[in-house]
Amino acid sequence: MERNLSLNLHVLTARLDRAADRILRTEHNVSYSRFVALTMVGELGASTQRTLAEYLGVTEPSVSRMTAVLASDGLLDVQPDPVGGNRRRLSLTDEGKRLVATIQQSLEDRLAGLVARSGVPYDEYAEHTARLLSTFDRLEQEAGR
């Protein structure tokens, strides 16, 4: 019996996430969720623990524990916010930047291989994915008005 499109999307997303987690734990000793956090800090400008928690959809205490581990691993710099208060400013260390770049390239190469094995031209996949993300961004902006 063929699954419906919505279920296929959930199954595909879960399988990609699990595969990425296995690869990253084996090859880089970092979980996929921590890689996503590092990417959000480095690429998306999640410069405070509060912003990172919002991006990840988790609590600030959860992000605080995660950022402490990433800082102790030398991947993330966590400093008090110069504005004051209990906020913490986040930035990638040089090692964190190198790790994110290495992992992004590795995952991109693996995804391209998977897409090619499926018979879908990678350029078309990339174009359609970019269009979907752009539409999603536009809808989020409209909802925020």
Side-chain angles (χ1 to χ4, degrees):
M1 185 165 122
E2 194 170 317
R3 294 181 213 146
N4 66 41
L5 185 57
S6 177
L7 180 58
N8 284 344
L9 178 60
H10 292 292
V11 170
L12 176 61
T13 301
R15 288 181 75 181
L16 288 170
D17 287 351
R18 281 193 313 269
D21 191 64
R22 272 192 313 273
I23 292 164
L24 298 184
R25 286 177 188 275
T26 301
E27 296 180 9
H28 301 284
N29 199 32
V30 66
S31 70
Y32 182 65
S33 61
R34 289 183 180 160
F35 164 70
V36 170
L38 290 169
T39 298
M40 289 185 173
V41 170
E43 302 288 323
L44 302 177
S47 60
T48 65
Q49 287 182 336
R50 176 173 291 153
T51 303
L52 182 58
E54 289 171 4
Y55 278 178
L56 294 174
V58 299
T59 65
E60 286 186 59
S62 176
V63 164
S64 179
R65 288 187 296 274
M66 181 187 295
T67 57
V69 170
L70 293 169
S72 72
D73 288 346
L75 302 171
L76 193 64
D77 185 40
V78 181
Q79 296 293 323
D81 193 326
V83 175
N86 200 24
R87 297 179 112 181
R88 300 283 180 253
R89 305 289 296 170
L90 307 174
S91 60
L92 294 181
T93 63
D94 288 341
E95 185 179 344
K97 290 175 188 174
R98 280 190 296 277
L99 181 66
V100 167
T102 298
I103 290 173
Q104 284 175 338
Q105 187 62 57
S106 173
L107 291 178
E108 176 78 15
D109 292 346
R110 287 172 187 259
L111 181 61
L114 178 66
V115 170
R117 288 184 72 177
S118 75
V120 175
Y122 190 73
D123 291 343
E124 288 181 31
Y125 161 80
E127 179 185 337
H128 290 290
T129 300
R131 287 174 54 196
L132 284 167
L133 288 171
S134 177
T135 300
F136 191 67
D137 289 345
R138 194 170 52 254
L139 291 171
E140 281 185 331
Q141 288 174 352
E142 291 171 2
R145 287 183 188 173

